[in-house]
Amino acid sequence: LRKDRRRLEGNDPAIAKALCYLGELYDSQDRLAEAEEKYLEALQILAPMEGMSRVLVAEVSGRLGDIYTQQGKLDDALAMSKRSLRVFRRVHGDEHVSLACALNRVGLVFKHKSQLDRAMSKFEQAHEMFCRLVGDDHSDVAHVLFNMANVLRDQGSAAEAMAMREKALGIHRRTLGSDSDEIASSLVNLGASYSDQGMLEEALGKYEEGLGIVRRNHPERNATEAKILVNMGRVYSRQEKHEDALAMFNKAYRIYRKTIGLETMEVALVLGGAGDVLHQQGKFEAAMGKFSEALAIHRRVVGDEHPEVADTLYSMALCKSDAGDVAGAVVCLREAQSI
């Protein structure tokens, strides 16, 4: 990139491509702020250009949408994801794999915003398009099936979600082999379905299998590893293995701190999980510290009206009630009910 800057003018497409490559590298290492900086600089160069540069604009906009989703900046994520969708549609028309990918990305943002019906609509459009373009037995189809399953899970259709995840895992095994990141993600999603059904040992088995794949593929530590550790911590918490649960949450927190950063929804959820365990142990003051920290991050990242804010307030109310602070519990419950 430095050589290109010295050799070329500041708005040359070659500089934009070099910025994109560097952004991809940072992105793959979960260095999201640095990736965002490079992608934004690339977009400034590419935005006025025509021709095939428009495809790169759509791709970079989509990657920025993914970064903002991970950071919990959901309005920014939606704006970038919709921009990607619009540009791909202008370039490729209404029937293209890139368009299906963009529809899936927009659906993911709606899912994170808890707009489940809108999310499912986008996923269904993407699924139908993928099936027409690449067939039913393709990894892209499996990705969308997992996203649809996550919506079904949030809507309370746990059995249907598990069946869809098993179908998607089968597609991934047939198309990608047994040791890819996609297989690890599939295993984690299926483990979540087992957990929903109360099949805790089966869930741990899937999480451990997925964790092994991630650690083999990414020995340098990876945000996906932290996500799996959080899920394992939740299972241990339900099994009342409190120290094991706290160990998982603490490891996940350290990994997130070094990768995606502390001002994220993921970190807030880790803190909330640790607070739940401390509450179960009767360590009310320590639990409230975790809940308060989680609540503050949720408010900064997604605002005061998000369901996660209400969930955290409800956890705080239970903790305050058990600690004998009934008045404080009522205050938290009233705010949670108003969301």
Side-chain angles (χ1 to χ4, degrees):
L1 177 61
R2 283 194 293 269
K3 289 180 181 179
D4 283 340
R5 287 192 193 279
R6 287 194 295 268
R7 184 171 55 88
L8 302 168
E9 293 184 11
N11 62 348
D12 193 283
I15 292 177
K17 289 181 181 178
L19 286 164
C20 290
Y21 292 142
L22 188 54
E24 288 177 17
L25 179 61
Y26 287 139
D27 206 351
S28 68
Q29 297 173 342
D30 294 315
R31 296 164 66 179
L32 301 185
E34 292 156 293
E36 177 192 3
E37 178 187 348
K38 300 307 175 189
Y39 287 148
L40 287 172
E41 192 175 349
L43 270 186
Q44 285 184 325
I45 297 171
L46 293 166
M49 297 181 181
E50 298 298 330
M52 290 310 294
S53 294
R54 305 308 299 163
V55 174
L56 199 52
V57 167
E59 291 175 352
V60 173
S61 297
R63 290 170 192 158
L64 278 166
D66 293 340
I67 287 173
Y68 292 141
T69 299
Q70 291 181 69
Q71 293 174 329
K73 301 174 183 176
L74 300 182
D75 291 336
D76 293 336
L78 187 59
M80 280 296 174
S81 298
K82 285 184 172 180
R83 179 184 188 181
S84 177
L85 179 61
R86 287 194 304 271
V87 177
F88 274 133
R89 185 169 275 134
R90 286 199 295 268
V91 173
H92 295 306
D94 292 331
E95 192 83 358
H96 193 274
V97 168
S98 295
L99 195 68
C101 291
L103 285 164
N104 182 57
R105 178 178 284 117
V106 173
L108 280 171
V109 181
F110 282 134
K111 164 68 170 58
H112 279 82
K113 290 171 75 72
S114 298
Q115 298 178 23
L116 300 183
D117 290 338
R118 299 180 76 178
M120 184 61 87
S121 175
K122 296 301 181 185
F123 292 147
E124 287 172 345
Q125 292 176 53
H127 180 258
E128 291 170 5
M129 193 177 296
F130 276 134
C131 288
R132 288 194 299 269
L133 295 172
V134 299
D136 296 346
D137 212 42
H138 191 278
S139 61
D140 287 335
V141 174
H143 285 308
V144 181
L145 286 173
F146 273 119
N147 292 334
M148 294 169 72
N150 289 338
V151 173
L152 289 169
R153 180 193 182 196
D154 287 355
Q155 291 175 329
S157 302
E160 191 176 351
M162 185 163 68
M164 194 170 284
R165 284 170 171 167
E166 288 174 339
K167 179 180 179 181
L169 178 58
I171 294 172
H172 271 157
R173 288 196 191 277
R174 290 191 297 275
T175 57
L176 300 173
S178 59
D179 219 32
S180 68
D181 286 345
E182 288 80 2
I183 292 292
S185 179
S186 298
L187 288 164
V188 172
N189 281 309
L190 187 54
S193 281
Y194 284 135
S195 180
D196 291 341
Q197 297 290 307
M199 303 162 65
L200 301 185
E201 290 301 328
E202 291 85 348
L204 278 176
K206 297 301 179 187
Y207 292 148
E208 288 168 354
E209 187 179 353
L211 185 62
I213 294 172
V214 169
R215 284 177 168 168
R216 287 193 294 275
N217 292 346
H218 304 281
E220 73 284 356
R221 288 289 180 264
N222 181 276
T224 303
E225 178 181 351
K227 176 183 176 181
I228 298 172
L229 292 171
V230 170
N231 288 345
M232 293 175 70
R234 288 172 177 157
V235 172
Y236 286 136
S237 177
R238 291 174 65 183
Q239 293 176 325
E240 298 186 356
K241 297 178 179 178
H242 298 137
E243 295 306 321
D244 290 337
L246 284 174
M248 295 296 109
F249 290 134
N250 289 335
K251 287 179 184 177
Y253 181 88
R254 290 194 295 271
I255 293 171
Y256 280 144
R257 183 182 61 200
K258 294 178 181 178
T259 54
I260 64 174
L262 295 179
E263 286 291 301
T264 57
M265 289 283 283
E266 286 79 3
V267 168
L269 293 172
V270 169
L271 291 166
D276 287 334
V277 175
L278 291 165
H279 180 191
Q280 291 171 31
Q281 291 180 311
K283 299 176 180 178
F284 301 125
E285 185 175 349
M288 282 303 302
K290 297 294 185 184
F291 290 141
S292 297
E293 194 175 349
L295 182 64
I297 294 173
H298 279 314
R299 291 192 194 277
R300 290 194 296 269
V301 172
V302 295
D304 295 332
E305 300 298 318
H306 195 275
E308 290 294 347
V309 173
D311 288 345
T312 305
L313 286 166
Y314 182 70
S315 295
M316 294 174 72
L318 292 177
C319 189
K320 284 177 178 289
S321 177
D322 288 346
D325 181 7
V326 176
V330 170
V331 171
C332 291
L333 278 175
R334 282 177 176 164
E335 185 178 354
Q337 288 171 350
S338 71
I339 296 173

